[in-house]
Amino acid sequence: STASGSVGSKPINVGGQANNDASQTSFHLAVCATIVEEFPHEELWKRWMTSTTIDIPNINNTNDNAEEATNTISCSSELYIHAKHAKQILNNNNSNSSSSYLKSKLLPFSHTPNWNDVRVIRAMLSLLQQALQDDKTTHV
């Protein structure tokens, strides 16, 4: 399902496809993750989160003889992580799982949720709140 709304005057898309506004020239995706203390496949995440541009064919072009017009969209993203054991990750300088990249993406606190606990929802809401504080965020 797709949810959308706004924060102030800024429209936000949550968990779904963006509106197909051809005038949109950029989007910024906030990726929110909850972990215990390990962050698997960190190198893949770093590569996937790299900013890029994409060319989208302009489907409103009705002139069959003209070259197909495209819209160039600037794409960027930011990763936000809530860890159950955030203090252990932040204080551990020797572990591969505690890289500077992971530490830079962590929320500075933890709700220390247990399995099937309301604190998981609190962690998710804290991630959403943090992501929406960034003025660049257009999608979560």
Side-chain angles (χ1 to χ4, degrees):
S1 71
T2 300
S4 64
S6 64
V7 175
S9 62
K10 179 175 72 167
I12 299 293
N13 291 300
V14 180
Q17 294 182 358
N19 59 15
N20 291 324
D21 182 1
S23 66
Q24 184 176 1
T25 59
S26 67
F27 76 84
H28 184 79
L29 175 66
V31 177
C32 301
T34 57
I35 64 172
V36 176
E37 61 190 37
E38 298 289 325
F39 185 58
H41 312 293
E42 182 176 316
E43 289 301 317
L44 291 175
W45 278 104
K46 281 197 249 185
R47 278 192 261 156
W48 190 80
M49 302 293 288
T50 303
S51 296
T52 189
T53 58
I54 57 174
D55 292 322
I56 307 290
N58 186 352
I59 59 174
N60 295 327
N61 186 1
T62 57
N63 186 350
D64 293 332
N65 296 328
E67 286 186 33
E68 188 171 320
T70 60
N71 294 324
T72 300
I73 300 175
S74 173
C75 308
S76 61
S77 58
E78 185 63 52
L79 180 63
Y80 300 92
I81 300 174
H82 176 278
K84 179 177 182 175
H85 301 298
K87 286 183 183 178
Q88 288 177 317
I89 294 170
L90 292 170
N91 294 330
N92 188 352
N93 294 322
N94 299 323
S95 172
N96 288 337
S97 66
S98 297
S99 73
S100 60
Y101 179 78
L102 174 59
K103 290 177 183 180
S104 73
K105 304 303 178 186
L106 281 178
L107 296 184
F109 60 87
S110 178
H111 293 286
T112 58
N114 292 317
W115 184 256
N116 202 20
D117 185 354
V118 70
R119 291 175 289 187
V120 173
I121 302 303
R122 290 183 185 136
M124 293 167 54
L125 290 172
S126 292
L127 286 165
L128 182 60
Q129 180 180 30
Q130 186 73 30
L132 293 177
Q133 287 179 358
D134 185 346
D135 289 337
K136 296 183 298 185
T137 300
T138 58
H139 298 75
V140 179

